[in-house]
Amino acid sequence: MSKSDKIFVAGHRGMVGSAIIRELENKGSKNIITRTHSELDLTNQQQVQEFFFQERPDQVYLAAAKVGGIFANDTYPADFIYQNLMIEANVIHNAFKSGVKKLLFLGSSCIYPKLADQPMREDALLSGYLEPTNEPYAVAKIAGIKLCESYNRQYSKSYGIDYRSVMPTNLYGPGDNYHLENSHVIPALIRKFHEAKVNNEERVTVWGSGKPKREFLYVDDLASASVHVMNLDKAIYDQDTSSTCSHINVGIGKDLSIAELAKILKKIIDFGGEIEFDSSKPDGSPRKLIYSTIFRNIGLTPKFNLEKGLEITYENFKNLIF
Ligand SMILES: NC(=O)c1ccc[n+]([C@@H]2O[C@H](COP(=O)([O-])OP(=O)(O)OC[C@H]3O[C@@H](n4cnc5c(N)ncnc54)[C@H](OP(=O)(O)O)[C@@H]3O)[C@@H](O)[C@H]2O)c1
């Protein structure tokens, strides 16, 4: 990557997109281009085509997506599959048509089967049934990986394209979505504990049994990994990937139960009441720990441990106005 490369970050106002911009700016990028959702609707084929042919970026980070937690995925399955398929198809196809050589697609660890062996390796993809609550979203994300692979398989030799995918574990950090029903577990719990503390409430109810185990990565660590993977020498990338299994997991390789997470947040937020679990709400997959050979081989290690990352995130949350 040269500092003058024209880089389009799709979804730059989101948690991941904004962290990628911070990382690119830290690395000295001088030519980042962005569009808000209202300026460019990525589900609109014509708008996306016009944008790419007008701007002709050198690199694309595809961090725009319809994203949400279990409740949102379960309530709006049509929105999750339709919008994500359209965004991916429009961006990847028009990136190719307009001459973009390098693209990084952001997926998610929910692409893996519900009962995949733990830790989940990249080759567990398409080896079993998906978790039903987020199946539509996962199918769209799998399509995104396969779009990148298919364009590479058909056009990498003739056009020199190199489209890669990263599958991050659960992320958290500044810029997260704190909607009480549509958000992921960390932002939802931060908001619940904070509001319970401010309102002197006696207990906080956590959705599900508290038993499922999850892995969490601070979003700035994901952003450094994304920029690193985008610019990784092709020979190294190719060592641990193949033309039909080309995605790379990004995680820390350590998980904890939702109950343990809730205890850590209760302490950071200094909430004095009780935690109770509502087992009538869905748990999702029992465990989702990912493993990445290439990630370990590259030697990238996260800079933020969970407690440190959560403290920064809570400080950031307190500055937000709802
Ligand atoms: N958050 C996680 O825990 C997590 C974990 C693993 C992977 N990821 C992946 O990381 C990527 C980004 O996630 P995130 O957490 O940063 O989500 P986010 O905070 O919701 O950001 C998504 C961004 O995409 C934009 N967007 C959505 N639909 C669009 C459209 N039709 N046209 C233009 N822009 C559109 C949104 O703009 P508006 O808000 O204006 O709609 C928003 O800025 C996703 O691919 C997700 O799968 C996230």
Side-chain angles (χ1 to χ4, degrees), residues 44 53 55 67 73-75 85 97 99 112 122 127 140 157 165 177 179 205 207 223 247 252 284 301:
N44 183 312
F53 278 83
E55 291 292 346
V67 177
N73 270 275
D74 213 19
T75 313
L85 284 172
K97 291 295 255 185
Y112 294 115
E122 285 88 351
S127 65
K157 285 208 178 81
S165 306
N177 163 15
H179 189 281
T205 305
W207 276 31
H247 56 290
I252 56 167
T301 45

Side-chain angles (χ1 to χ4, degrees), residues 150-205:
S150 304
Y151 279 76
N152 284 341
R153 286 170 62 191
Q154 192 168 338
Y155 297 118
S156 69
K157 285 208 178 81
S158 43
Y159 288 89
I161 63 162
D162 187 0
Y163 294 175
R164 301 177 178 180
S165 306
V166 284
M167 299 302 118
T169 187
N170 303 292
L171 303 170
Y172 69 98
D176 213 336
N177 163 15
Y178 289 93
H179 189 281
L180 276 177
E181 284 176 337
N182 294 340
S183 56
H184 289 114
V185 60
I186 287 184
L189 288 181
I190 288 180
R191 184 161 177 184
K192 279 186 182 183
F193 278 118
H194 177 79
E195 290 181 352
K197 177 182 154 178
V198 170
N199 299 325
N200 282 322
E201 286 164 17
E202 287 177 2
R203 58 183 52 82
V204 157
T205 305

Side-chain angles (χ1 to χ4, degrees), residues 20 60-63 102-106 148 162-166 225-227 229-230 237:
I20 289 176
V60 174
Y61 288 84
L62 179 40
K102 293 184 79 67
L103 178 144
L104 190 80
F105 171 65
L106 270 293
C148 291
D162 187 0
Y163 294 175
R164 301 177 178 180
S165 306
V166 284
S226 299
V227 173
V229 168
M230 170 76 110
Y237 191 87

Side-chain angles (χ1 to χ4, degrees), residues 116-121 124 249 253 287-292 296:
D117 287 345
Q118 302 289 320
M120 301 180 292
R121 290 173 180 270
N249 286 342
R287 199 172 180 208
K288 275 173 66 182
L289 183 63
I290 61 174
Y291 183 90
S292 174
R296 285 173 189 231

